[in-house]
Amino acid sequence: MIKVLAIDDEPLALQQLAAYIKKIPFLSLCGECQSALEAKEILNNENIDAIFCDINMPDLNGMDFVKSLAAPPLVVFTTAYSEYAVEGFKVDAVDYLLKPFGLDEFRRAANRLQQRLRVGEASAEGMRLRVGEVSVEDDTIFVKTDYKVVKLAISDIRYIEGMSEYLKIHLESQPKPVVTLLSMKKMEEYLPPYFMRIHRSYIINLKMIQEVNKNRVIMDSDTYLPIGDNYKDAFNDYLSTKFLGK
């Protein structure tokens, strides 16, 4: 549901606007306001997705009201004055309804509002991946790297190296690591139990350990990873469950 406010200083116009909102199945009316100041109070206390706002109102008109908001919701302007149309679109209004408008016109504006929200959600998901978030599907993960999203088999990961805000994901199948913007903590949340953090900068695939020598884990002839003091006990506990002999 799209949470909306109806804003109009004229009681009859506000009543009609509220009635139209209630006829649209995907709109949820969260308030009816007769002034921008009243609407602002609601916006400060609730998460509102969109407003249907009259422009010509006393004290603070709808246009100035929207401009005053630090993070305005989506806006559909309503007014009896057509000269405001161009200015309305300058503030990125979703639509502009010229009074008097009927239900069909209102429904078209509501559909545009719904479409804008869907596009925004898709963009937000794209941004989530652009900053390195992990998406998991079965034994695979998807990570953002080099301006593209790549699919990796979790079982193909040998170890993960933390480098400030970035991670290097070292794979069995290729010599070059995959670099992504992501925290070690976030990566840990997506990995299965056969991965363990052994150092603040390293997470290893336990199945790919070749040797443990003192305070180092040897993954291959060229890769020696340190075991951090804070992780030593947990790693030794793991080894004790696998150790055969005295």
Side-chain angles (χ1 to χ4, degrees), residues 204 208-214 216-220 223-225 227 235 239:
I204 63 169
M208 294 191 181
I209 295 174
Q210 290 191 2
E211 187 178 330
V212 179
N213 188 333
K214 297 183 179 178
R216 297 182 301 175
V217 172
I218 301 172
M219 304 299 289
D220 57 48
T223 308
Y224 295 70
L225 305 180
I227 302 170
F235 183 68
L239 288 182

Side-chain angles (χ1 to χ4, degrees), residues 172-202:
E172 180 75 6
S173 61
Q174 64 183 55
K176 185 178 178 181
V178 173
V179 180
T180 188
L181 178 61
L182 192 68
S183 70
M184 292 284 277
K185 182 178 180 181
K186 180 62 70 172
M187 177 60 84
E188 282 185 285
E189 294 175 3
Y190 287 93
L191 294 173
Y194 60 86
F195 282 84
M196 177 177 285
R197 191 166 183 175
I198 62 165
H199 188 275
R200 63 185 181 86
S201 299
Y202 294 104

Side-chain angles (χ1 to χ4, degrees), residues 18-38:
Y20 283 162
I21 290 172
K22 292 174 183 177
K23 290 180 182 292
I24 307 300
F26 54 80
L27 297 183
S28 174
L29 181 62
C30 296
E32 301 174 37
C33 307
Q34 287 190 260
S35 72
L37 297 178
E38 184 183 348

Side-chain angles (χ1 to χ4, degrees), residues 26-193:
F26 54 80
L27 297 183
S28 174
L29 181 62
C30 296
E32 301 174 37
C33 307
Q34 287 190 260
S35 72
L37 297 178
E38 184 183 348
K40 198 165 191 174
E41 185 174 347
I42 294 176
L43 289 172
N44 287 337
N45 293 290
E46 292 188 42
N47 292 322
I48 301 298
D49 299 310
I51 58 175
F52 290 85
C53 184
D54 185 31
I55 293 178
N56 291 81
M57 294 187 294
D59 299 325
L60 183 64
N61 71 45
M63 196 72 65
D64 291 337
F65 166 57
V66 172
K67 290 177 181 177
S68 74
L69 298 174
L74 296 180
V75 182
V76 175
F77 282 120
T78 66
T79 186
Y81 301 92
S82 60
E83 63 266 25
Y84 285 109
V86 173
E87 190 177 355
F89 287 112
K90 284 182 180 178
V91 297
D92 198 28
V94 174
D95 209 345
Y96 175 93
L97 289 169
L98 186 62
K99 297 178 180 179
F101 52 86
L103 180 58
D104 287 343
E105 293 169 283
F106 181 85
R107 184 178 286 109
R108 282 194 291 272
N111 287 337
R112 290 190 185 103
L113 182 65
Q114 184 183 50
Q115 182 60 31
R116 177 76 73 86
L117 276 173
R118 285 174 176 169
V119 169
E121 288 169 356
S123 297
E125 178 65 13
M127 180 60 73
R128 186 178 70 85
L129 286 172
R130 280 195 288 277
V131 298
E133 182 63 273
V134 178
S135 175
V136 178
E137 177 184 300
D138 301 324
D139 182 52
T140 60
I141 57 174
F142 294 84
V143 297
K144 178 68 180 180
T145 182
D146 294 332
Y147 305 102
K148 60 187 177 183
V149 177
V150 297
K151 181 180 180 179
L152 306 175
I154 295 175
S155 57
D156 189 39
I157 298 173
R158 297 175 61 241
Y159 67 97
I160 297 158
E161 181 180 1
M163 301 182 64
S164 186
E165 297 178 344
Y166 291 84
L167 298 182
K168 280 186 176 181
I169 304 174
H170 297 264
L171 304 172
E172 180 75 6
S173 61
Q174 64 183 55
K176 185 178 178 181
V178 173
V179 180
T180 188
L181 178 61
L182 192 68
S183 70
M184 292 284 277
K185 182 178 180 181
K186 180 62 70 172
M187 177 60 84
E188 282 185 285
E189 294 175 3
Y190 287 93
L191 294 173

